[in-house]
Amino acid sequence: HLDRRTGILTYKAAPGENPNARRFVAPRLEQLLVAAGRSGAPVRNLRFEGLTFEYAEWPLPAFGYMGIQAGHYGTIMQEQIHVLPLTLAYIYAEGCSLERCRILRVGACGIGFEAGCRDNHVVGCEVADIGGNGIMVGWRGKGVGMEGIGNPNLSADWHKPEIEAPRGNVIMNNYVHRCGAINHGTVGIFVAFSADTRITHNLVTDLPYTGISAGFRWNQTPTSQRTCLIERNHVFDVMQMLADGGAIYTLGLQPGTVLRGNLLHTVHRSAYAHGGAPNNGVFFDEGSTGCLVEDNIIYDTSGEPIRFHKTQRENLEWGENSFGAPPDDPAFPTTIAQ
């Protein structure tokens, strides 16, 4: 325990451990990088390569933390809803990139793209030991019309006019693990109210809840969420603590969205999880509509490989998939998995 008023650090060492041989870090900042343009004058072509961003805090609000879903929290659903801040935040940014960087040991969320973000890339990065969500596309922060969620059922489109919605952002070849380390109902990669997002070739693992979450509206009303590509991601060892999620989770109408060639397995059911809601390879939650689902491989899930809730199979388009066959089964599609 660090008493920030006196500066005294109290540490209970394990038997035989010398605490004076340990290194302790007490972060002071919530955010390490904010690349903020404005409407009509975005930040352009800002590139960071091979850097490590680490150690940022997130002090608990005075009213505490009641997690709702994916880093959104409040007190009761009838009052103002908040979202965890971003350690690396982009607002009105175009053509920017993080390449071969590491984002480690931060208290809130790792990387996020807010209003007006276009054609930005997160490529070949490691995102680990994150208190909240690892990578977010569509985080609702500051900007025109971005005054706060303030909607009890989270059903409003965050980006109005729609020109504010993030578009064409790429999350590719990243290693995302140990997210949700403090606030357990958070996810590895989150996308909502954004268009043309590409989430491809990522390794997402070691999470208390869902791996990849797409969409954030609990019905089929049209929003700016559309044409998201979730392709050839390897998501496993998830749902270690909570229930009612999966390797991939979707919500709402998402025309043109594609879930293709993802390898999804080892979806747990924790002894700590209460209630009857299962954990699945892909959980198509309320209003999930408009997705193409093909060439996905799902096995070793505590619940069924696919789950539907307040939607149905007919709301989606289906190609060939492999559901339930483990690697030692002759029916397992080894070539696609590799």
Side-chain angles (χ1 to χ4, degrees), residues 9 15 19 76 117 121 182 193-194 196 199 235 243 255 290 307 318 334:
L9 177 69
I76 59 175
C117 285
H121 290 67
I182 298 172
F193 304 123
S194 305
D196 306 328
I199 302 171
V235 185
R307 177 186 172 199
W318 298 87
T334 302

Side-chain angles (χ1 to χ4, degrees), residues 117-142:
C117 285
R118 302 280 191 275
D119 304 317
N120 302 293
H121 290 67
V122 180
V123 178
C125 294
E126 180 182 9
V127 181
D129 203 3
I130 306 297
N133 299 317
I135 302 173
M136 301 184 72
V137 180
W139 188 93
R140 185 181 183 181
K142 297 177 181 178

